[in-house]
Amino acid sequence: MHVVPDPTASAAPTIDFDTFLRVDIRVGTIVAAEPFPEARKAAYKLTIDFGPVIGVKKSSVQITEHYRLEELPGMQVAAVVNFPPRQIGKFMSEVLTLGFPDAEGRVVLIRPGIAVPDGGRLF
């Protein structure tokens, strides 16, 4: 799944901590990356292992400008794991892999700076 927020928009409304806790953001390791030629915008299909509690999930990501397929397996990434799955063409994206826009609006993945256990929850 991929959502492009408007970087010029003002800050989102204030929420309380319990609302934040409802968004389940976990770390996982990419175990496979494939081309996604059927996507309307250039994208890859990722298979990500979130450990024994969450398991292995799939995600569609528009990251072709900064990442090559062969460098993705083994990379840890952050993703929202409790959104409902989203159909993207014939592919079912099960998690929202997270990133920030670079200066041109291209996605840069959120990754831990040090390896951490898969399935760890952001706090």
Side-chain angles (χ1 to χ4, degrees):
M1 291 193 289
H2 182 68
V3 178
V4 180
D6 179 358
T8 63
S10 59
T14 300
I15 61 172
D16 61 32
F17 191 68
D18 289 336
T19 301
F20 168 73
L21 289 177
R22 292 175 52 203
V23 180
D24 193 356
I25 300 172
R26 305 278 180 136
V27 66
T29 298
I30 299 170
V31 295
E34 307 171 48
F36 191 3
E38 308 85 13
R40 283 184 289 170
K41 293 183 180 179
Y44 297 142
K45 298 177 192 176
L46 300 182
T47 303
I48 307 168
D49 184 355
F50 291 97
V53 174
I54 304 298
V56 176
K57 302 289 183 182
K58 298 197 178 287
S59 183
S60 168
V61 292
Q62 295 175 356
I63 60 170
T64 58
E65 296 89 356
H66 287 302
Y67 304 93
R68 294 184 324 275
L69 282 173
E70 59 272 10
E71 72 182 304
L72 293 168
M75 184 182 293
Q76 287 193 302
V77 294
V80 176
V81 299
N82 66 332
F83 284 158
R86 183 173 176 194
Q87 190 79 39
I88 302 180
K90 295 181 180 181
F91 182 75
M92 184 63 75
S93 190
E94 300 172 297
V95 299
L96 175 62
T97 304
L98 300 173
F100 288 110
D102 68 8
E104 286 80 39
R106 299 173 300 193
V107 179
V108 176
L109 293 170
I110 297 175
R111 302 170 33 190
I114 297 172
V116 297
D118 288 334
R121 187 168 181 180
L122 180 76
F123 59 85

